[in-house]
Amino acid sequence: MGPHPAVAAIRLAVRRVLHDILTEQNSQPTPPSPGQTPHERPSSPLVLVACSGGADSMALASALAFEAPKLGIRAGGVTVDHGLQPGSDLRAEEVVLRLRELGLDPVESTAVTVGREGGPEAAARDARYTALDAMAVRHGAIAVLLGHTRDDQAETVLLGLARGSGIRSLSGMAAVSGADGRYRRPFLSVDRQTARKACMVQSLPVWDDPHNADPAYTRSRLRHEGLPALEKALGKGVVEALARTAQLSRDDADALDTWARQAEASVRDAAGLLECAKLYALPPAVRRRILRRAAIEAGAPAGSLFARHLEEVDRLITGWRGQGAINLPGKVVAQRQGGRLVIRQG
């Protein structure tokens, strides 16, 4: 008799991602680190799982522990203590013990200091990824698995829709992201209930983070109020449809990004300045991508550059009425000069 369907589903998702990782590794052999000869490198590649102790990441850890040895992969784990709740250090120690019980090695807990920039959720996320990056580098891990589910993806799409910041924000979380594709999300096609069921049938203890039910957090309100209301009004297929929207949006956004990169050379003059007439002839979605890239190259922080900024710059091309310079984040200035668009530090 095979495993429970929920356990089979999470193992299959992880197996597919591990196969992808190995295929990439085999097609692009990495040179040894400085001072390290090839025979000194570990014989088996290391994949880490980021685990909070919640159902999603515990299910992921259990699947990695089961699948990795069959493929000659070492499986390790890391838990991040954000220090945002009393006893969070003890909770992190418990997670470390659980991961070791699953057979993961190395396993590490790392404490971070969460700042305030961008709001509490964004600050915690930034601190977490900084810590995960550091551990991956320290242990020479070829990938870090994250437990985001299809439900998380649906929430991310809705949050992007509410921001009104374009098709890229509707594309949700990527299955592969980070430096050199370090981060992998095997569960984007697995729903949250399947992950929880997999923990239950394997008798894995899980921890429910109170922040996930705290109405002070936008994502928590969306999870407990917004999505249930949408499902009540539109039916149970909303989460799956939103996740599918994310993938379709990502495909479209990737295609437009490629088009913009290819078109950029054709709209610059011999001095490298952007020609307004040639920009005007491009579709708006392509033109605004070129403007965004130019602003970032001039020093505008990507995270502070919003659709409204690009709309103002775009009007220098499509609605030219002798406007003055447009001030952008990062002290970057955009202005039209003799049929050219100049974007530079002010």
Side-chain angles (χ1 to χ4, degrees):
M1 182 175 167
H4 186 280
V7 176
I10 63 168
R11 288 177 177 175
L12 176 60
V14 168
R15 191 183 317 139
R16 285 173 171 164
V17 167
L18 294 181
H19 274 297
D20 290 345
I21 292 169
L22 285 180
T23 300
E24 292 165 17
Q25 285 290 304
N26 293 335
S27 64
Q28 297 179 348
T30 53
S33 302
Q36 187 181 48
T37 59
H39 69 271
E40 290 175 321
R41 281 178 283 171
S43 56
S44 301
L46 172 67
V47 172
L48 300 174
V49 58
C51 185
S52 67
D56 302 340
S57 57
M58 280 302 297
L60 182 58
S62 71
L64 177 63
F66 182 82
E67 294 291 341
K70 297 195 295 184
L71 295 172
I73 294 173
R74 291 183 299 138
V78 59
T79 186
V80 178
D81 173 15
H82 297 86
L84 297 175
Q85 301 166 17
S88 63
D89 54 338
L90 298 176
R91 178 70 57 191
E93 289 176 15
E94 288 178 19
V95 174
V96 166
L97 289 174
R98 291 175 190 171
L99 295 179
R100 286 183 176 146
E101 287 170 359
L102 287 170
L104 271 59
D105 182 43
V107 175
E108 191 173 302
S109 168
T110 181
V112 298
T113 301
V114 177
R116 297 177 179 273
E117 190 172 347
E121 292 165 282
R125 184 175 60 247
D126 289 346
R128 181 166 60 252
Y129 279 104
T130 298
L132 293 175
D133 279 336
M135 184 172 176
V137 170
R138 188 163 62 252
H139 288 281
I142 59 172
V144 179
L145 306 189
L146 304 174
H148 298 115
T149 64
R150 189 168 67 186
D151 301 73
D152 294 310
Q153 185 74 300
E155 293 160 9
T156 303
V157 172
L158 285 175
L159 290 169
L161 184 63
R163 284 194 298 268
S165 51
I167 195 171
R168 180 56 74 184
S169 69
L170 296 184
S171 63
M173 295 174 285
V176 180
S177 64
D180 299 320
R182 171 176 293 150
Y183 294 107
R184 309 289 173 128
R185 296 177 174 87
F187 284 0
L188 289 183
S189 59
V190 175
D191 63 75
R192 189 175 289 144
Q193 194 57 40
T194 296
R196 184 168 288 275
K197 185 72 172 176
C199 289
M200 188 179 75
V201 299
Q202 294 180 103
S203 300
L204 292 175
V206 299
W207 173 62
D208 290 313
D209 186 346
H211 280 171
N212 289 338
D214 188 342
Y217 294 94
T218 307
R219 188 178 284 269
S220 174
R221 294 195 301 274
L222 182 59
R223 180 173 302 178
H224 296 285
E225 300 170 28
L227 263 175
L230 277 176
E231 288 187 331
K232 185 176 179 181
L234 302 174
K236 286 290 184 181
V238 169
V239 167
E240 186 176 356
L242 286 168
R244 190 163 58 248
T245 295
Q247 186 56 57
L248 293 171
S249 298
R250 182 168 296 279
D251 291 344
D252 289 351
D254 287 347
L256 288 167
D257 285 349
T258 300
W259 187 352
R261 284 194 297 272
Q262 293 170 345
E264 186 169 355
S266 69
V267 298
R268 290 189 182 275
D269 64 12
L273 297 176
L274 293 165
E275 298 186 57
C276 294
K278 291 182 177 178
L279 283 168
Y280 185 89
L282 292 172
V286 176
R287 181 172 63 242
R288 289 181 185 179
R289 278 168 166 76
I290 293 174
L291 299 180
R292 177 179 171 81
R293 281 168 57 88
I296 292 170
E297 286 172 6
S304 303
L305 198 59
F306 301 131
R308 59 184 171 82
H309 296 126
L310 296 178
E311 286 168 7
E312 288 186 57
V313 177
D314 199 40
R315 277 195 288 273
L316 294 177
I317 299 161
T318 62
W320 175 240
R321 300 288 185 275
Q323 303 96 301
I326 306 295
N327 293 315
L328 300 173
K331 298 182 179 178
V332 171
V333 173
Q335 59 188 135
R336 183 165 172 151
Q337 295 178 345
R340 303 291 187 271
L341 185 69
V342 180
I343 302 179
R344 54 176 171 75
Q345 282 284 324

